[in-house]
């Protein structure tokens, strides 16, 4: 799956520091691969220790994690929805991503001037979300006008759509995001067609100092409360620490994390949080050529997972041979798992579980 997450934030909140920490990550045997696509886009692997555990039994020529594309989106100022600054470009970039990673400053530092004079996470969030909501209001107004015209002919579906978008327009006018608006199943498709900016899932990244990372602070509490109220998620990351970690080799990085009392870099948690935010899971394929992780949406059936490997596999799907990750490890590898009766044969209706090892049988 081609997954894209846009990193947004006001000036001097640490957005670019976080992105640069990702792009500067040193590749080593213990780390996951990273590659830069262009100056403001990077493909980052989803950290998953299960890959190495699987390959300990397989010793494949390649170990390939699943990945997500991060886009450093710049150019927001107040009035972006009206074209101020790089407004149109900014909003256009957001339309192209599946999720938004919103970096919010939650630390005080006299040497780093805040664009609005002081640290106020909720105000910063509202600045960006207000611009997104204004852009969405224009989109909804056009859709509403179309639905009202269609409803004049007595079309019941058009009337229901008009009522829905009227209510959504009022919701957006109050400053609330579309993702927090209840959507009837029969109108979910109509909403998707509008590609609303505030309907995209959001992960708030509270950029904190070292003390705030362990204990939190009042600014973090405000941000986490806002996330809960608006159907978003929030995590804490210290961009300064991540930037320092990105410059270290594997051994020094482990020692630095131990000194800080951390089990893993915050960037690993951030990438996994985005993955979870999008409702995604991982399945694996193993063999002598490669041990590989694949991404599929939660709830996907076996043919859809097969289609991630090759689009032709969807129509030519016959069955899937499945071993659970836990059974594979506990048995000591694929052959032992099969001998123990842990391999299942599943058909088209099988719902893929996170961690499944899958081998697909397809027709010629």
């Amino acid at each position: 799956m081609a997954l894209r997450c846009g990193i947004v934030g006001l000036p001097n909140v640490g957005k670019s520091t976080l992105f640069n920490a990702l792009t500067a990550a040193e590749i080593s045997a213990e780390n996951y691969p990273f590659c830069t696509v262009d100056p403001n886009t990077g493909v980052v692997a989803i950290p998953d220790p299960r890959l190495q555990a699987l390959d300990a039994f397989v010793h494949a020529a390649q170990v390939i994690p699943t990945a997500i594309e991060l886009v450093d989106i710049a150019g927001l100022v107040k009035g972006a929805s009206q074209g101020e600054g790089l407004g149109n470009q900014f909003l256009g970039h957001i339309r192209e991503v599946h999720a938004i990673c919103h970096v919010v400053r939650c630390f005080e530092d006299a040497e780093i001037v805040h664009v609005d004079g002081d640290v106020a996470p909720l105000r910063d969030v509202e600045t960006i979300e207000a611009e997104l909501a204004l852009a969405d209001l224009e989109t909804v107004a056009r859709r509403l006008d179309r639905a009202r015209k269609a409803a004049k002919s007595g079309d019941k579906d058009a009337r229901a759509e008009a009522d829905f978008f009227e209510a959504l327009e009022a919701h957006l006018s109050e400053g609330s995001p579309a993702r927090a608006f209840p959507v009837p199943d029969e109108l979910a498709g109509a909403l998707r067609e509008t590609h609303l900016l505030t309907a995209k899932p959001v992960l708030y990244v509270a950029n904190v100092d070292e003390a705030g990372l362990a204990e939190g602070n009042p600014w973090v509490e405000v941000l986490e409360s806002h996330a809960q109220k608006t159907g978003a998620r929030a995590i804490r990351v210290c961009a300064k620490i991540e930037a320092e970690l990105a410059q270290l080799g594997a051994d020094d990085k482990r020692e630095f994390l131990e000194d800080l009392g951390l089990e893993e870099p915050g960037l690993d948690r951030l990438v996994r949080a985005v993955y979870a935010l999008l409702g995604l899971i991982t399945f694996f394929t193993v063999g002598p050529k490669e041990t590989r992780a694949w991404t599929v949406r939660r709830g996907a059936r076996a043919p859809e997972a097969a289609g991630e490997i090759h689009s032709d596999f969807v129509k030519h799907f016959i069955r899937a041979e499945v071993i659970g990750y836990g059974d594979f490890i506990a048995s000591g590898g694929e052959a032992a798992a099969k001998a123990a009766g842990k391999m299942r044969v599943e058909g088209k209706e099988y719902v893929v579980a996170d961690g499944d090892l899958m081998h697909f049988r397809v027709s010629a």
Side-chain angles (χ1 to χ4, degrees):
M1 299 178 71
L3 306 172
R4 305 185 83 228
C5 178
I7 302 178
V8 304
L10 294 176
N12 291 344
V13 298
K15 173 178 66 70
S16 293
T17 301
L18 279 175
F19 182 82
N20 290 338
L22 282 168
T23 61
E26 183 172 317
I27 301 172
S28 69
E30 292 78 15
N31 290 331
Y32 295 86
F34 170 88
C35 63
T36 300
V37 177
D38 59 45
N40 65 341
T41 303
V43 177
V44 181
I46 308 296
D48 194 331
R50 293 177 296 182
L51 266 177
Q52 275 62 39
L54 290 171
D55 197 56
F57 297 99
V58 181
H59 305 296
Q62 284 186 294
V63 177
I64 305 175
T66 189
I68 190 167
E69 183 177 328
L70 298 181
V71 184
D72 187 12
I73 298 175
L76 178 77
V77 295
K78 290 181 180 179
S81 59
Q82 304 300 317
E84 293 293 329
L86 297 177
N88 293 331
Q89 182 178 346
F90 173 88
L91 297 173
H93 286 162
I94 291 184
R95 291 191 194 282
E96 296 172 358
V97 302
H98 298 96
I100 297 172
C101 182
H102 188 164
V103 182
V104 184
R105 180 170 167 177
C106 293
F107 68 91
E108 186 63 86
D109 188 331
E111 296 183 1
I112 303 177
V113 178
H114 191 288
V115 66
D116 288 323
D118 60 341
V119 178
L122 196 56
R123 180 201 58 212
D124 294 355
V125 166
E126 290 174 346
T127 295
I128 287 182
E129 293 194 340
E131 296 303 328
L132 301 186
L134 287 169
D136 280 352
L137 277 168
E138 291 186 10
T139 301
V140 168
R142 291 193 295 269
R143 183 66 181 239
L144 177 56
D145 183 60
R146 192 175 82 185
R148 282 171 173 164
K149 289 177 180 178
K152 288 180 180 179
S153 65
D155 186 325
K156 292 183 179 179
D157 290 339
R159 181 67 263 169
E161 184 175 312
D163 290 342
F164 170 76
F165 281 109
E166 283 176 1
L168 178 56
E169 185 178 50
H171 176 83
L172 291 168
S173 297
E174 294 172 354
S176 300
R179 65 179 177 276
F181 188 73
V183 184
D185 291 342
E186 62 272 18
L187 288 166
L191 179 65
R192 282 194 298 271
E193 290 173 1
T194 60
H195 301 289
L196 297 184
L197 302 174
T198 62
K200 295 181 183 295
V202 171
L203 173 69
Y204 291 113
V205 180
N207 185 16
V208 298
D209 55 20
E210 186 175 329
L213 191 60
E215 303 172 6
N217 58 46
W219 295 311
V220 171
E221 292 175 6
V222 168
L223 185 62
E224 291 175 342
S225 176
H226 176 76
Q228 186 174 14
K229 290 177 182 177
T230 59
R233 298 189 184 191
I235 65 169
R236 302 174 200 166
V237 172
C238 178
K240 183 179 179 181
I241 288 175
E242 299 305 320
E244 294 174 6
L245 283 169
Q247 305 303 316
L248 300 176
D251 292 339
D252 290 338
K253 184 177 293 186
R254 280 195 294 270
E255 185 177 340
F256 189 19
L257 287 170
E258 288 174 3
D259 290 343
L260 293 170
L262 302 175
E263 295 182 358
E264 63 179 351
L267 294 178
D268 286 5
R269 290 188 294 106
L270 186 155
V271 174
R272 279 203 303 271
V274 171
Y275 196 68
L277 181 70
L278 290 167
L280 305 172
I281 61 173
T282 300
F283 70 93
F284 302 98
T285 55
V286 298
K289 291 185 178 180
E290 65 178 32
T291 297
R292 183 164 183 166
W294 302 84
T295 296
V296 71
R297 65 177 182 84
R298 187 174 298 279
R301 301 189 187 278
E304 185 177 337
E308 293 299 323
I309 296 174
H310 195 291
S311 58
D312 287 348
F313 285 9
V314 177
K315 60 182 179 181
H316 295 300
F317 178 90
I318 297 175
R319 64 181 183 272
E321 297 170 356
V322 183
I323 302 173
Y325 170 79
D327 289 335
F328 184 98
I329 298 298
S331 299
E334 183 174 356
K338 288 180 179 179
K342 299 299 184 180
M343 188 188 80
R344 311 185 309 276
V345 176
E346 303 286 0
K348 293 182 179 180
E349 296 304 310
Y350 175 68
V351 177
V352 180
D354 185 51
D356 276 349
L357 278 77
M358 307 187 77
H359 180 73
F360 300 104
R361 299 294 184 181
V362 296
S363 60

